[in-house]
Structure formats: structure tokens, C-alpha cells
Amino acid sequence: MLVGNTIDWDPQRLILRFEIAGEDGSLPVLYQGVRPDMFQDGAQTVVEGRYASSGLFEASTLLLKCPSKYVED
């Protein structure tokens, strides 16, 4: 889950910093690219990339799970 109060977006450089949290704790993430429209507090987020030596996760891919309102009943 995306921790909303951690979102730091630089639209000029397309750099997005945030944290994701799960049952095992939280993880600081750095992503360079377009910010997804649904990127907000509590969004179910999947990141792919690598851990940097600084402890930061450098994401090369950022995916969001679509909210259930888009699922046909």
C-alpha cells in the first residue's frame, strides 16, 4: 500500500519519491517516470527494480492495482 503522506513529486525532472508499506514494514522508493493518475494514499502499488546500497529501492517499473469500481459486477 502506498503511504500517501510520503509522496514527493518533482514534475520537471519526473522524479517520484514515496514509501510503500505492508505487513513486514515500509520501504522507501525512488521512481523516475510519469506519475500514474491513481497514485494516492492507500493505492495498492507494485514496484520492480533493485535495492540501492543506501537502502532505497530504485523502481524501474511502477504499477497500481485498479480500484474495484472498474470491475464489472
Side-chain angles (χ1 to χ4, degrees):
M1 295 291 224
L2 174 63
V3 181
N5 63 351
T6 65
I7 298 171
D8 180 17
W9 171 235
D10 181 343
Q12 281 75 37
R13 296 174 48 207
L14 297 178
I15 294 178
L16 185 57
R17 295 176 186 268
F18 58 95
E19 285 187 22
I20 55 174
E23 295 175 9
D24 297 331
S26 64
L27 177 67
V29 179
L30 171 68
Y31 173 71
Q32 185 165 7
V34 177
R35 179 181 170 161
D37 291 335
M38 302 298 292
F39 198 76
Q40 60 190 350
D41 188 25
Q44 292 183 347
T45 308
V46 176
V47 292
E48 296 177 336
R50 66 179 187 90
Y51 284 103
S53 58
S54 64
L56 188 67
F57 188 84
E58 296 175 348
S60 56
T61 303
L62 172 61
L63 304 169
L64 300 178
K65 181 177 178 188
C66 290
S68 60
K69 68 181 180 178
Y70 295 116
V71 177
E72 187 174 332
D73 291 329

